Amino acid sequence: MDLDDTDNSASSAVRGERAASQTLRAQLMLRSLIIGGELKPGERVSELQMVDRLGVSRTPVRAALIHLEHENLVEALPSGGYAVKELSEPEILVAIEIRGTLEGLAARMAAERGAPADLIAAAHVVLEEIDRIVLPGPRPNGLERYVRHNARFHDLIVDMAGSDTLARQIERAAVLPFASPSALVPMEPGSVETHQSLLLSQFQHRIVLQAIELRQGARAEAMMREHARTAHCNLRRALIAGRKLAELAVASLSSNS
Amino acid sequence: MDLDDTDNSASSAVRGERAASQTLRAQLMLRSLIIGGELKPGERVSELQMVDRLGVSRTPVRAALIHLEHENLVEALPSGGYAVKELSEPEILVAIEIRGTLEGLAARMAAERGAPADLIAAAHVVLEEIDRIVLPGPRPNGLERYVRHNARFHDLIVDMAGSDTLARQIERAAVLPFASPSALVPMEPGSVETHQSLLLSQFQHRIVLQAIELRQGARAEAMMREHARTAHCNLRRALIAGRKLAELAVASLSSNS
DNA sequence: TTGCCCCTATCTGTATACATAATTTTGCCG
DNA sequence: CGGCAAAATTATGTATACAGATAGGGGCAA
């Protein structure tokens, strides 16, 4: 069978991933289709249709669907098969709260157990990089760099907790489009409002890191929780601004490498 | 092909489930094999071996393995295939902490949003049933009834939060043998120590429910978290007493209907 | 005797064939 | 003209065939 992706309508999602397994390719492409809105919420995801669309056979498509079910992006229909899960605003808020709660737990564990020195140092470096982005003032193009460093900081906090189980659980909670720490993409790139929001987030980053260093578990946890609630504001703003879900796909996909 | 389970070495795990799909059967049986210790931690789970052992073909076995991977019971090997995940004591403690944290979040959300009256009433009924079990004093055979009602109470709290997303996440966190709220099975049935532990748990139940009714979110959350840490003691006791993981399989499996 | 290389046996990933169940469409009757 | 039923199409669940890869064992050479 022809396995290259020359005629693949969703091949842009797997740029540079052509060596990966068919299952992973199907998973990434399906995620992209769902988050990008090309598959409407509530719509049935026909396996054969996906075979035509993704260029892989039914087996990897089916495996990808099982994975996506656990990621809360599709749900199993009672009569068999899967449908794109419709995300209500309250459920997204809950997902954000779950992520914040678990990241708060990670921060507290890091503070109570003590975080490895190299991770602390790496976090300081990341925060200084963010400083160089946000301190000079609002500038275009700084947003995507911020998102990258922000995601790295969150990953470092989770790593400091030293638990693979916790890391996985957090990763799963952050799959939903607006629940990811990188979900501030819909913000207006150059606006003063955006810039102030980033400054506040950076303050929170510093407090979390300081609390972890000082072994202040409760403080680290509370601040991390509050920090996650920044996403609430972003979601509210995005819902008011209109449907720009497609933009989120890139950030959401790039954050789980 | 012969599809009945007459020569099925693990058929006891699916008693009453013969109408279910092959995938679900494979998932339940594999869970039982892993939690029951028949598959040793770190051991590779050969698909063909499981085909022989479970009496289903490779496709359902493979689907079940993907599900179990998301349940943290197996992990994907870099070279392909899966292996039984080895659960270190610290990781189990983390899993308990995750469950407690998320159940605490559920209790707080129930308190802040207000729980449906019928669920509150149902919870009161359950607590009165538990009272009838533990108040008269230590008695044999009360333990399994306690476990059942205890699981029901925890489910009710989660339901009160009114979020399917949160419910799923908690369910996943509670799959690990000792992380489930039903994980007090290894306790000695008739001992005074066991009875006092149950009494304390029941006090905590009452406080959580009262806090939810009074809209005391922080109190409900803190008490629910602390309540989950009861499992820490049970784990410690079980590890001292010796390996009786097999007993936990039943409780763990029955709690996720 | 020991270490390295090759060969074999098995295992996974993928594709596909087949049977059962669900859904849609079409035709007929009221 | 509308509703219901039946048939056909399509969907999923399951089993299996096949190819590439991997790991392990045995044999040969130093």
Side-chain angles (χ1 to χ4, degrees):
Chain A
M1 182 186 181
D2 183 33
L3 286 184
D4 64 12
D5 52 358
T6 49
D7 58 348
N8 222 330
S9 61
S11 61
S12 62
V14 289
R15 209 177 306 145
E17 301 274 351
R18 45 178 37 165
S21 71
Q22 302 293 80
T23 298
L24 188 58
R25 282 183 43 172
Q27 189 178 346
L28 292 177
M29 291 195 286
L30 270 177
R31 256 219 294 251
S32 171
L33 289 178
I34 292 172
I35 297 177
E38 299 189 49
L39 292 173
K40 299 275 177 279
E43 183 180 345
R44 184 193 198 99
V45 183
S46 165
E47 295 178 5
L48 289 176
Q49 218 169 311
M50 291 307 122
V51 166
D52 288 344
R53 199 158 179 178
L54 306 181
V56 299
S57 80
R58 271 188 68 207
T59 305
V61 167
R62 177 164 271 275
L65 283 171
I66 298 177
H67 283 290
L68 292 179
E69 181 193 8
H70 285 276
E71 289 180 359
N72 263 330
L73 288 176
V74 301
E75 60 184 347
L77 297 172
S79 62
Y82 292 91
V84 178
K85 192 151 187 180
E86 9 204 353
L87 300 173
S88 64
E89 185 189 347
E91 284 298 322
I92 296 180
L93 290 179
V94 169
I96 293 173
E97 202 71 18
I98 291 174
R99 174 177 67 86
T101 302
L102 291 179
E103 286 189 341
L105 174 60
R108 178 164 65 81
M109 283 174 49
E112 291 176 351
R113 300 176 163 190
D118 56 336
L119 291 181
I120 298 266
H124 274 295
V125 171
V126 170
L127 290 191
E128 277 160 24
E129 299 238 27
I130 297 181
D131 268 347
R132 273 199 288 278
I133 296 170
V134 299
L135 279 191
R139 51 168 75 183
N141 156 300
L143 200 53
E144 57 179 316
R145 278 195 297 158
Y146 176 88
V147 168
R148 201 166 51 242
H149 291 297
N150 179 66
R152 172 110 179 91
F153 179 77
H154 281 254
D155 285 348
L156 281 171
I157 297 294
V158 174
D159 282 351
M160 287 181 199
S163 165
D164 198 48
T165 304
L166 181 55
R168 284 234 210 153
Q169 203 92 359
I170 290 176
E171 188 180 337
R172 158 163 320 142
V175 174
L176 292 185
F178 282 97
S180 151
S182 309
L184 31 80
V185 178
M187 297 174 73
E188 215 174 338
S191 78
V192 176
E193 192 184 15
T194 295
H195 184 246
Q196 294 209 337
S197 174
L198 298 191
L199 276 177
L200 174 59
S201 283
Q202 174 72 342
F203 270 114
Q204 292 172 333
H205 288 162
R206 290 218 170 273
I207 290 173
V208 167
L209 186 55
Q210 184 191 30
I212 290 175
E213 288 185 280
L214 294 177
R215 303 291 188 98
Q216 299 168 332
R219 186 179 175 217
E221 177 170 22
M223 184 50 63
M224 200 69 193
R225 274 200 190 194
E226 189 57 37
H227 177 57
R229 294 196 182 101
T230 309
H232 284 206
C233 308
N234 292 324
L235 172 61
R236 195 60 53 91
R237 207 169 326 163
L239 287 181
I240 294 174
R243 334 256 147 260
K244 297 284 293 259
L245 291 172
E247 254 90 307
L248 288 174
V250 182
S252 175
L253 286 174
S254 64
S255 71
N256 70 332
S257 60
Chain B
M1 182 183 183
D2 184 33
L3 285 186
D4 66 12
D5 52 359
T6 48
D7 56 354
N8 222 329
S9 61
S11 61
S12 64
V14 289
R15 209 178 304 145
E17 299 275 352
R18 46 177 38 162
S21 71
Q22 301 293 79
T23 297
L24 188 58
R25 284 183 41 173
Q27 190 178 345
L28 292 177
M29 291 194 285
L30 269 177
R31 258 218 291 251
S32 171
L33 288 178
I34 292 173
I35 296 177
E38 300 190 49
L39 292 172
K40 299 275 178 280
E43 185 181 343
R44 186 194 196 97
V45 184
S46 165
E47 294 177 5
L48 289 177
Q49 219 170 308
M50 291 307 123
V51 167
D52 287 345
R53 199 159 179 176
L54 306 181
V56 300
S57 79
R58 271 189 68 204
T59 305
V61 168
R62 176 163 272 275
L65 283 171
I66 297 177
H67 283 290
L68 293 180
E69 181 193 8
H70 284 277
E71 288 179 359
N72 264 330
L73 288 177
V74 301
E75 61 185 344
L77 297 173
S79 61
Y82 292 92
V84 178
K85 193 153 187 177
E86 8 204 357
L87 299 173
S88 62
E89 184 191 347
E91 283 298 323
I92 297 180
L93 290 179
V94 170
I96 294 173
E97 201 72 17
I98 291 174
R99 175 177 65 86
T101 302
L102 291 179
E103 286 188 343
L105 174 60
R108 178 164 65 83
M109 281 175 48
E112 292 176 351
R113 300 176 164 190
D118 55 337
L119 292 181
I120 297 267
H124 275 294
V125 171
V126 170
L127 290 192
E128 278 160 24
E129 300 239 27
I130 296 181
D131 268 347
R132 275 200 287 278
I133 297 172
V134 299
L135 279 191
R139 50 168 73 182
N141 158 299
L143 198 53
E144 57 179 314
R145 277 196 297 156
Y146 175 88
V147 167
R148 200 167 49 244
H149 291 297
N150 179 65
R152 172 111 179 92
F153 179 77
H154 281 255
D155 284 348
L156 281 171
I157 297 295
V158 173
D159 282 351
M160 287 181 198
S163 165
D164 198 49
T165 304
L166 181 55
R168 283 235 208 152
Q169 203 92 357
I170 290 176
E171 187 181 338
R172 159 160 322 142
V175 173
L176 291 186
F178 283 98
S180 153
S182 309
L184 32 81
V185 179
M187 296 174 75
E188 215 175 339
S191 77
V192 176
E193 192 185 13
T194 295
H195 184 245
Q196 294 209 333
S197 174
L198 297 190
L199 277 177
L200 173 59
S201 282
Q202 174 72 342
F203 269 115
Q204 291 171 335
H205 288 160
R206 289 218 172 273
I207 289 173
V208 167
L209 185 55
Q210 183 192 34
I212 289 176
E213 288 184 281
L214 295 177
R215 303 291 186 99
Q216 298 166 333
R219 186 180 176 214
E221 176 170 23
M223 184 51 61
M224 201 68 194
R225 274 200 189 194
E226 189 56 37
H227 177 58
R229 294 197 181 99
T230 308
H232 284 207
C233 308
N234 292 324
L235 172 62
R236 196 60 54 92
R237 206 170 326 166
L239 287 181
I240 292 174
R243 332 254 146 259
K244 296 284 295 258
L245 291 171
E247 255 90 307
L248 288 172
V250 182
S252 173
L253 286 174
S254 64
S255 70
N256 69 331
S257 60

mmCIF file of all heavy atoms in Angstrom, chain B residues 134-160:
data_model
loop_
_atom_site.group_PDB
_atom_site.id
_atom_site.type_symbol
_atom_site.label_atom_id
_atom_site.label_comp_id
_atom_site.label_asym_id
_atom_site.label_seq_id
_atom_site.Cartn_x
_atom_site.Cartn_y
_atom_site.Cartn_z
ATOM 1 N N VAL B 134 -20.594 0.119 61.854
ATOM 2 C CA VAL B 134 -19.427 0.322 62.721
ATOM 3 C C VAL B 134 -19.797 0.678 64.157
ATOM 4 O O VAL B 134 -19.000 0.455 65.063
ATOM 5 C CB VAL B 134 -18.512 1.429 62.163
ATOM 6 C CG1 VAL B 134 -17.999 1.042 60.783
ATOM 7 C CG2 VAL B 134 -19.221 2.762 62.116
ATOM 8 N N LEU B 135 -21.005 1.234 64.386
ATOM 9 C CA LEU B 135 -21.298 1.682 65.748
ATOM 10 C C LEU B 135 -21.475 0.537 66.743
ATOM 11 O O LEU B 135 -21.018 0.651 67.879
ATOM 12 C CB LEU B 135 -22.555 2.580 65.748
ATOM 13 C CG LEU B 135 -22.272 4.021 65.330
ATOM 14 C CD1 LEU B 135 -23.478 4.903 65.611
ATOM 15 C CD2 LEU B 135 -21.042 4.578 66.051
ATOM 16 N N PRO B 136 -22.105 -0.589 66.348
ATOM 17 C CA PRO B 136 -22.305 -1.644 67.346
ATOM 18 C C PRO B 136 -21.011 -2.263 67.843
ATOM 19 O O PRO B 136 -21.029 -3.007 68.817
ATOM 20 C CB PRO B 136 -23.130 -2.693 66.589
ATOM 21 C CG PRO B 136 -23.766 -1.945 65.469
ATOM 22 C CD PRO B 136 -22.779 -0.893 65.094
ATOM 23 N N GLY B 137 -19.904 -1.951 67.212
ATOM 24 C CA GLY B 137 -18.644 -2.548 67.639
ATOM 25 C C GLY B 137 -18.081 -3.455 66.576
ATOM 26 O O GLY B 137 -18.735 -3.711 65.558
ATOM 27 N N PRO B 138 -16.866 -3.924 66.777
ATOM 28 C CA PRO B 138 -16.206 -4.778 65.777
ATOM 29 C C PRO B 138 -16.983 -6.057 65.576
ATOM 30 O O PRO B 138 -17.368 -6.722 66.543
ATOM 31 C CB PRO B 138 -14.839 -5.076 66.423
ATOM 32 C CG PRO B 138 -14.711 -4.190 67.601
ATOM 33 C CD PRO B 138 -16.082 -3.744 67.994
ATOM 34 N N ARG B 139 -17.250 -6.350 64.339
ATOM 35 C CA ARG B 139 -17.937 -7.600 64.041
ATOM 36 C C ARG B 139 -17.376 -8.171 62.734
ATOM 37 O O ARG B 139 -16.993 -7.424 61.832
ATOM 38 C CB ARG B 139 -19.447 -7.379 63.917
ATOM 39 C CG ARG B 139 -19.798 -6.238 62.982
ATOM 40 C CD ARG B 139 -21.268 -6.243 62.668
ATOM 41 N NE ARG B 139 -22.067 -5.810 63.795
ATOM 42 C CZ ARG B 139 -23.399 -5.772 63.761
ATOM 43 N NH1 ARG B 139 -24.039 -6.159 62.671
ATOM 44 N NH2 ARG B 139 -24.069 -5.345 64.791
ATOM 45 N N PRO B 140 -17.316 -9.448 62.678
ATOM 46 C CA PRO B 140 -16.781 -10.053 61.451
ATOM 47 C C PRO B 140 -17.725 -9.787 60.284
ATOM 48 O O PRO B 140 -18.908 -9.551 60.490
ATOM 49 C CB PRO B 140 -16.742 -11.549 61.776
ATOM 50 C CG PRO B 140 -17.798 -11.718 62.829
ATOM 51 C CD PRO B 140 -17.791 -10.450 63.629
ATOM 52 N N ASN B 141 -17.192 -9.778 59.105
ATOM 53 C CA ASN B 141 -17.991 -9.680 57.875
ATOM 54 C C ASN B 141 -18.507 -8.265 57.633
ATOM 55 O O ASN B 141 -18.982 -7.953 56.554
ATOM 56 C CB ASN B 141 -19.149 -10.694 57.942
ATOM 57 C CG ASN B 141 -20.306 -10.349 57.043
ATOM 58 O OD1 ASN B 141 -20.932 -9.297 57.194
ATOM 59 N ND2 ASN B 141 -20.586 -11.215 56.105
ATOM 60 N N GLY B 142 -18.397 -7.392 58.651
ATOM 61 C CA GLY B 142 -18.808 -6.014 58.429
ATOM 62 C C GLY B 142 -17.882 -5.274 57.507
ATOM 63 O O GLY B 142 -18.270 -4.276 56.887
ATOM 64 N N LEU B 143 -16.669 -5.759 57.384
ATOM 65 C CA LEU B 143 -15.658 -5.024 56.629
ATOM 66 C C LEU B 143 -16.031 -4.878 55.167
ATOM 67 O O LEU B 143 -15.940 -3.800 54.589
ATOM 68 C CB LEU B 143 -14.305 -5.715 56.774
ATOM 69 C CG LEU B 143 -13.103 -4.849 56.424
ATOM 70 C CD1 LEU B 143 -13.154 -3.544 57.198
ATOM 71 C CD2 LEU B 143 -11.822 -5.586 56.711
ATOM 72 N N GLU B 144 -16.485 -5.978 54.563
ATOM 73 C CA GLU B 144 -16.785 -5.874 53.136
ATOM 74 C C GLU B 144 -18.003 -4.996 52.895
ATOM 75 O O GLU B 144 -18.064 -4.270 51.912
ATOM 76 C CB GLU B 144 -16.998 -7.258 52.536
ATOM 77 C CG GLU B 144 -18.084 -8.066 53.211
ATOM 78 C CD GLU B 144 -18.235 -9.429 52.537
ATOM 79 O OE1 GLU B 144 -18.277 -9.460 51.298
ATOM 80 O OE2 GLU B 144 -18.292 -10.459 53.246
ATOM 81 N N ARG B 145 -18.959 -5.037 53.830
ATOM 82 C CA ARG B 145 -20.094 -4.128 53.679
ATOM 83 C C ARG B 145 -19.631 -2.684 53.814
ATOM 84 O O ARG B 145 -20.079 -1.795 53.099
ATOM 85 C CB ARG B 145 -21.160 -4.449 54.734
ATOM 86 C CG ARG B 145 -22.061 -5.601 54.320
ATOM 87 C CD ARG B 145 -23.314 -5.641 55.183
ATOM 88 N NE ARG B 145 -22.982 -5.876 56.590
ATOM 89 C CZ ARG B 145 -23.773 -5.522 57.619
ATOM 90 N NH1 ARG B 145 -24.916 -4.923 57.386
ATOM 91 N NH2 ARG B 145 -23.411 -5.778 58.862
ATOM 92 N N TYR B 146 -18.718 -2.465 54.766
ATOM 93 C CA TYR B 146 -18.178 -1.110 54.915
ATOM 94 C C TYR B 146 -17.523 -0.641 53.615
ATOM 95 O O TYR B 146 -17.753 0.478 53.153
ATOM 96 C CB TYR B 146 -17.156 -1.052 56.055
ATOM 97 C CG TYR B 146 -16.498 0.300 56.170
ATOM 98 C CD1 TYR B 146 -17.069 1.311 56.937
ATOM 99 C CD2 TYR B 146 -15.321 0.582 55.480
ATOM 100 C CE1 TYR B 146 -16.497 2.558 57.022
ATOM 101 C CE2 TYR B 146 -14.733 1.832 55.557
ATOM 102 C CZ TYR B 146 -15.321 2.810 56.327
ATOM 103 O OH TYR B 146 -14.758 4.045 56.393
ATOM 104 N N VAL B 147 -16.728 -1.514 53.022
ATOM 105 C CA VAL B 147 -16.015 -1.146 51.792
ATOM 106 C C VAL B 147 -17.007 -0.730 50.717
ATOM 107 O O VAL B 147 -16.822 0.269 50.028
ATOM 108 C CB VAL B 147 -15.148 -2.326 51.307
ATOM 109 C CG1 VAL B 147 -14.668 -2.082 49.887
ATOM 110 C CG2 VAL B 147 -13.971 -2.522 52.233
ATOM 111 N N ARG B 148 -18.100 -1.476 50.609
ATOM 112 C CA ARG B 148 -19.082 -1.167 49.573
ATOM 113 C C ARG B 148 -19.709 0.204 49.813
ATOM 114 O O ARG B 148 -19.780 1.043 48.909
ATOM 115 C CB ARG B 148 -20.147 -2.271 49.551
ATOM 116 C CG ARG B 148 -20.929 -2.342 48.245
ATOM 117 C CD ARG B 148 -21.731 -3.630 48.136
ATOM 118 N NE ARG B 148 -22.523 -3.919 49.307
ATOM 119 C CZ ARG B 148 -22.336 -4.986 50.082
ATOM 120 N NH1 ARG B 148 -21.383 -5.836 49.798
ATOM 121 N NH2 ARG B 148 -23.103 -5.186 51.137
ATOM 122 N N HIS B 149 -20.158 0.434 51.040
ATOM 123 C CA HIS B 149 -20.799 1.716 51.322
ATOM 124 C C HIS B 149 -19.806 2.864 51.241
ATOM 125 O O HIS B 149 -20.144 3.964 50.817
ATOM 126 C CB HIS B 149 -21.457 1.664 52.708
ATOM 127 C CG HIS B 149 -22.644 0.766 52.765
ATOM 128 N ND1 HIS B 149 -23.775 1.009 52.022
ATOM 129 C CD2 HIS B 149 -22.879 -0.375 53.446
ATOM 130 C CE1 HIS B 149 -24.663 0.048 52.267
ATOM 131 N NE2 HIS B 149 -24.138 -0.801 53.126
ATOM 132 N N ASN B 150 -18.584 2.610 51.671
ATOM 133 C CA ASN B 150 -17.550 3.632 51.598
ATOM 134 C C ASN B 150 -17.324 4.066 50.144
ATOM 135 O O ASN B 150 -17.281 5.259 49.837
ATOM 136 C CB ASN B 150 -16.248 3.084 52.195
ATOM 137 C CG ASN B 150 -15.124 4.096 52.133
ATOM 138 O OD1 ASN B 150 -15.188 5.130 52.766
ATOM 139 N ND2 ASN B 150 -14.108 3.800 51.338
ATOM 140 N N ALA B 151 -17.231 3.088 49.258
ATOM 141 C CA ALA B 151 -17.041 3.410 47.843
ATOM 142 C C ALA B 151 -18.228 4.217 47.328
ATOM 143 O O ALA B 151 -18.062 5.186 46.568
ATOM 144 C CB ALA B 151 -16.872 2.127 47.031
ATOM 145 N N ARG B 152 -19.416 3.832 47.768
ATOM 146 C CA ARG B 152 -20.620 4.557 47.330
ATOM 147 C C ARG B 152 -20.580 6.009 47.804
ATOM 148 O O ARG B 152 -20.913 6.923 47.054
ATOM 149 C CB ARG B 152 -21.852 3.834 47.880
ATOM 150 C CG ARG B 152 -23.166 4.563 47.668
ATOM 151 C CD ARG B 152 -24.057 3.844 46.671
ATOM 152 N NE ARG B 152 -25.324 4.551 46.517
ATOM 153 C CZ ARG B 152 -25.536 5.488 45.594
ATOM 154 N NH1 ARG B 152 -24.579 5.811 44.745
ATOM 155 N NH2 ARG B 152 -26.708 6.100 45.512
ATOM 156 N N PHE B 153 -20.152 6.223 49.041
ATOM 157 C CA PHE B 153 -20.065 7.584 49.555
ATOM 158 C C PHE B 153 -19.085 8.415 48.724
ATOM 159 O O PHE B 153 -19.396 9.542 48.314
ATOM 160 C CB PHE B 153 -19.630 7.566 51.024
ATOM 161 C CG PHE B 153 -19.497 8.937 51.632
ATOM 162 C CD1 PHE B 153 -20.621 9.654 52.019
ATOM 163 C CD2 PHE B 153 -18.248 9.506 51.813
ATOM 164 C CE1 PHE B 153 -20.505 10.922 52.573
ATOM 165 C CE2 PHE B 153 -18.128 10.779 52.368
ATOM 166 C CZ PHE B 153 -19.249 11.481 52.750
ATOM 167 N N HIS B 154 -17.924 7.836 48.445
ATOM 168 C CA HIS B 154 -16.941 8.577 47.642
ATOM 169 C C HIS B 154 -17.507 8.904 46.268
ATOM 170 O O HIS B 154 -17.327 10.012 45.758
ATOM 171 C CB HIS B 154 -15.645 7.761 47.532
ATOM 172 C CG HIS B 154 -14.781 7.838 48.750
ATOM 173 N ND1 HIS B 154 -13.626 8.576 48.800
ATOM 174 C CD2 HIS B 154 -14.918 7.292 49.985
ATOM 175 C CE1 HIS B 154 -13.084 8.478 50.001
ATOM 176 N NE2 HIS B 154 -13.847 7.688 50.743
ATOM 177 N N ASP B 155 -18.198 7.961 45.680
ATOM 178 C CA ASP B 155 -18.810 8.219 44.373
ATOM 179 C C ASP B 155 -19.812 9.369 44.464
ATOM 180 O O ASP B 155 -19.887 10.212 43.566
ATOM 181 C CB ASP B 155 -19.515 6.952 43.863
ATOM 182 C CG ASP B 155 -18.521 5.924 43.344
ATOM 183 O OD1 ASP B 155 -17.341 6.278 43.177
ATOM 184 O OD2 ASP B 155 -18.937 4.775 43.110
ATOM 185 N N LEU B 156 -20.574 9.382 45.545
ATOM 186 C CA LEU B 156 -21.574 10.445 45.696
ATOM 187 C C LEU B 156 -20.905 11.816 45.794
ATOM 188 O O LEU B 156 -21.368 12.791 45.193
ATOM 189 C CB LEU B 156 -22.428 10.173 46.936
ATOM 190 C CG LEU B 156 -23.528 9.131 46.745
ATOM 191 C CD1 LEU B 156 -24.180 8.767 48.079
ATOM 192 C CD2 LEU B 156 -24.583 9.649 45.772
ATOM 193 N N ILE B 157 -19.824 11.895 46.535
ATOM 194 C CA ILE B 157 -19.112 13.176 46.657
ATOM 195 C C ILE B 157 -18.658 13.642 45.279
ATOM 196 O O ILE B 157 -18.823 14.806 44.898
ATOM 197 C CB ILE B 157 -17.905 13.030 47.606
ATOM 198 C CG1 ILE B 157 -18.368 12.682 49.012
ATOM 199 C CG2 ILE B 157 -17.082 14.322 47.616
ATOM 200 C CD1 ILE B 157 -19.167 13.767 49.682
ATOM 201 N N VAL B 158 -18.103 12.701 44.525
ATOM 202 C CA VAL B 158 -17.628 13.061 43.184
ATOM 203 C C VAL B 158 -18.805 13.508 42.323
ATOM 204 O O VAL B 158 -18.708 14.494 41.589
ATOM 205 C CB VAL B 158 -16.891 11.869 42.540
ATOM 206 C CG1 VAL B 158 -16.543 12.178 41.094
ATOM 207 C CG2 VAL B 158 -15.642 11.534 43.330
ATOM 208 N N ASP B 159 -19.929 12.805 42.450
ATOM 209 C CA ASP B 159 -21.109 13.187 41.672
ATOM 210 C C ASP B 159 -21.571 14.594 42.031
ATOM 211 O O ASP B 159 -22.032 15.348 41.174
ATOM 212 C CB ASP B 159 -22.260 12.194 41.930
ATOM 213 C CG ASP B 159 -22.065 10.906 41.158
ATOM 214 O OD1 ASP B 159 -21.139 10.867 40.317
ATOM 215 O OD2 ASP B 159 -22.823 9.944 41.397
ATOM 216 N N MET B 160 -21.458 14.929 43.304
ATOM 217 C CA MET B 160 -21.929 16.242 43.742
ATOM 218 C C MET B 160 -21.182 17.370 43.040
ATOM 219 O O MET B 160 -21.722 18.463 42.875
ATOM 220 C CB MET B 160 -21.746 16.385 45.257
ATOM 221 C CG MET B 160 -22.723 15.569 46.076
ATOM 222 S SD MET B 160 -22.438 15.838 47.833
ATOM 223 C CE MET B 160 -23.270 14.413 48.515
#
